[in-house]
Amino acid sequence: MGEKQWGSRIGFLLATAGAAIGLGNLWKFPYLMGENGGFTFLVVYLIFVLILGLPCMMLEMSLGRYTGRDPIQSYKIVNPKAKIVGIFGVLAPFIILSYYSVIGGWLIKYVVSYVTTFNAPADFGAFIASPTTVIWHFIFMAMVIYVCYKGIGGIEKASKIMLPALFVLLIIIIFRSVSLKGSMEGIKFIFAPKKGFSLASVNAALGQVFYSLSLCMGITITYGSYLSKKENIPKSCAVVAGMDTLLAILAGIAIFPAVFVFGLEPGQGPGLVFVTLPKVFGAMSGGSIFAIAFFILMFFAALTSAIALLEVVVSFAIDSWGWSRNKSVAVMGIAVAVLGIPSALSSGLLADVTILNYSVFDFIGMISDNILLPIGGILMCYFIGWKFDITKLTDEMEQGCPNFKIKKLWIASIKYVAPILLIIVTVSGFVGVYHSITGM
Ligand code: TRP
């Protein structure tokens, strides 16, 4: 089966952080913070990282190391009925990757465009409506496939280059952004405590913790299954969650000061990155250089996450179906690439096709993020907390972390705190879908 363990601690930490740090940190978190009461949101977010995110991450990492298997086999070992959680954990990455890769393709297009013409593609709307997006999506998938084909060592190597580079590029952009005259407005937008914090913000924070830490998608189980028994799981999880949160905050400092200086509307998602920011770079002296840095940074963030997503599906085919790595990577990679075609075309040829009032692209994202994820989380806590001898996992964590002092707190979180919070997220996810279907 080839190498089954990480070559180094730093490689493991960077790969796991690379899986967590993704588009969500860069284009969603800063805006959520700005819109939901600034500093207040940050504090609430940090609390949820501590009481929900970290415990779930520790669960997944210790489960992966305990079984040494892919998510489906892991849950089967926990309880034959729990296999369903593992199925969620493999299905969700499969689906998410198909649209993540489409965005990865857009990012490559923007890097190429800035490098060759010093400008963004003239018209974002026209670009994403054109079928060429399928080609960029394939190019991105080819890169993901290449790294996974190289195995754990390949993932480690790629993460060791891309994650540090990502931080460096971000720091460079921060310097440029805050040195602009009038940059304080943007800083205030994100950090100043203000009105705007509501019940909906609590929900947004919960959902974002789960999404940003890449929980319940088999990633941490899969990466944990390659982990040596000597490693300290609680500490590793704290490092990864810390890096993830730090990067999300830094992203806000890099982006919003410049947006405000040039009098543009703050925003999130593709609109922010592909429409607003090119305007910022266009107005800034030396803007195209910073644009190249920025889009490479985004591309790295997307690529390390995409690699993790494919690796889950690949490890599943290796462990559960006994396939070779080469066959798994080829078959699964191509399957995801094909599944992504409708997403890639959803702003163009398929723009009129909607599912329950969503475009194909939004529908896929919505199903996986708002429904599959939190339900998977609830089931995960239920089976581990209530249908399994949870001390097997605390024993697992005590290997490599002999004085695991927060054992009782951790168990309480998995049994009570996390499931309750996740039920709130799921219910509000369904309410959101309902509102959008009925147009209310
Ligand atoms: N955490 C990623 C982000 O912030 C998105 C994501 C969710 C993800 N689940 C994942 C990435 C699983 C890789 C693997 O954008």
Side-chain angles (χ1 to χ4, degrees), residues 19-20 22-25 100 211-212 214 217 219 305 309:
L23 298 172
N25 301 62
Y100 223 79
Y211 184 81
S212 190
S214 300
M217 283 202 211
I219 303 288
S305 290
L309 290 165

Side-chain angles (χ1 to χ4, degrees), residues 18-27 93 96 99-100 208-219 244 301-302 304-310 312 369 373:
I21 295 171
L23 298 172
N25 301 62
L26 294 157
W27 74 18
I96 294 215
Y99 81 80
Y100 223 79
Q208 180 69 11
V209 165
F210 228 62
Y211 184 81
S212 190
L213 294 180
S214 300
L215 295 173
C216 222
M217 283 202 211
I219 303 288
D244 185 71
T304 45
S305 290
I307 291 166
L309 290 165
L310 184 61
V312 175
D369 303 349
L373 260 191

Side-chain angles (χ1 to χ4, degrees), residues 201-232:
S201 317
V202 175
N203 256 315
L206 279 172
Q208 180 69 11
V209 165
F210 228 62
Y211 184 81
S212 190
L213 294 180
S214 300
L215 295 173
C216 222
M217 283 202 211
I219 303 288
T220 321
I221 297 181
T222 305
Y223 279 13
S225 75
Y226 307 146
L227 190 60
S228 130
K229 298 278 182 196
K230 289 200 291 285
E231 294 297 333
N232 185 326

Side-chain angles (χ1 to χ4, degrees), residues 93-238:
F94 194 80
I95 297 174
I96 294 215
L97 181 55
S98 74
Y99 81 80
Y100 223 79
S101 162
V102 171
I103 299 166
W106 297 351
L107 290 168
I108 299 178
K109 163 78 180 179
Y110 270 62
V111 172
V112 170
S113 174
Y114 270 109
V115 169
T116 53
T117 69
F118 297 112
N119 261 316
D123 179 348
F124 175 64
F127 162 59
I128 61 167
S130 77
T132 54
T133 49
V134 176
I135 297 169
W136 295 106
H137 153 66
F138 282 173
I139 294 176
F140 185 83
M141 269 316 292
M143 295 178 181
V144 178
I145 289 172
Y146 177 75
V147 175
C148 285
Y149 162 78
K150 293 274 173 192
I152 307 169
I155 298 175
E156 244 182 287
K157 218 191 229 158
S159 312
K160 274 193 197 157
I161 299 170
M162 286 193 276
L163 254 224
L166 192 158
F167 271 94
V168 171
L169 290 171
L170 192 60
I171 303 280
I172 294 174
I173 295 170
I174 287 179
F175 272 110
R176 179 68 184 128
S177 186
V178 296
S179 70
L180 294 163
K181 234 173 88 211
S183 59
M184 269 321 277
E185 271 313 295
I187 300 282
K188 273 197 212 137
F189 169 71
I190 337 172
F191 288 106
K194 55 181 174 274
K195 283 206 222 91
F197 192 84
S198 65
L199 209 57
S201 317
V202 175
N203 256 315
L206 279 172
Q208 180 69 11
V209 165
F210 228 62
Y211 184 81
S212 190
L213 294 180
S214 300
L215 295 173
C216 222
M217 283 202 211
I219 303 288
T220 321
I221 297 181
T222 305
Y223 279 13
S225 75
Y226 307 146
L227 190 60
S228 130
K229 298 278 182 196
K230 289 200 291 285
E231 294 297 333
N232 185 326
I233 290 180
K235 199 162 129 200
S236 305
C237 289

Side-chain angles (χ1 to χ4, degrees), residues 205-365:
L206 279 172
Q208 180 69 11
V209 165
F210 228 62
Y211 184 81
S212 190
L213 294 180
S214 300
L215 295 173
C216 222
M217 283 202 211
I219 303 288
T220 321
I221 297 181
T222 305
Y223 279 13
S225 75
Y226 307 146
L227 190 60
S228 130
K229 298 278 182 196
K230 289 200 291 285
E231 294 297 333
N232 185 326
I233 290 180
K235 199 162 129 200
S236 305
C237 289
V239 170
V240 170
M243 281 207 260
D244 185 71
T245 309
L246 177 67
L247 195 113
I249 297 170
L250 290 179
I253 304 177
I255 294 172
F256 286 111
V259 168
F260 277 86
V261 166
F262 294 105
L264 297 162
E265 277 294 304
Q268 63 170 329
L272 171 69
V273 166
F274 295 104
V275 181
T276 308
L277 289 181
K279 285 190 195 144
V280 170
F281 294 125
M284 184 192 273
S285 59
S288 23
I289 300 294
F290 290 99
I292 293 173
F294 177 79
F295 282 101
I296 291 180
L297 179 176
M298 290 291 290
F299 165 69
F300 283 171
L303 188 58
T304 45
S305 290
I307 291 166
L309 290 165
L310 184 61
E311 180 63 18
V312 175
V313 185
V314 165
S315 90
F316 153 73
I318 293 177
D319 271 3
S320 290
W321 290 343
W323 288 10
S324 70
R325 173 166 285 271
N326 289 356
K327 179 175 170 191
S328 315
V329 172
V331 173
M332 293 303 181
I334 290 171
V336 172
V338 171
L339 183 70
I341 295 174
S343 283
L345 293 175
S346 73
S347 317
L349 291 181
L350 300 180
D352 297 332
V353 180
T354 57
I355 311 174
L356 301 176
N357 283 343
Y358 289 92
S359 74
V360 177
F361 188 90
D362 292 341
F363 181 76
I364 291 182

Side-chain angles (χ1 to χ4, degrees), residues 375-419:
I375 294 184
I378 295 169
L379 292 174
M380 170 174 98
C381 294
Y382 169 72
F383 280 113
I384 299 288
W386 298 92
K387 295 278 150 198
F388 178 68
D389 177 9
I390 198 169
T391 57
K392 291 204 173 114
L393 295 190
T394 50
D395 289 350
E396 182 65 43
M397 280 191 264
E398 274 170 342
Q399 297 189 46
C401 177
N403 43 3
F404 179 32
K405 294 210 188 71
I406 52 166
K407 192 151 92 180
K408 291 225 168 68
L409 281 177
W410 179 73
I411 295 178
S413 170
I414 297 302
K415 285 181 112 154
Y416 307 102
V417 182

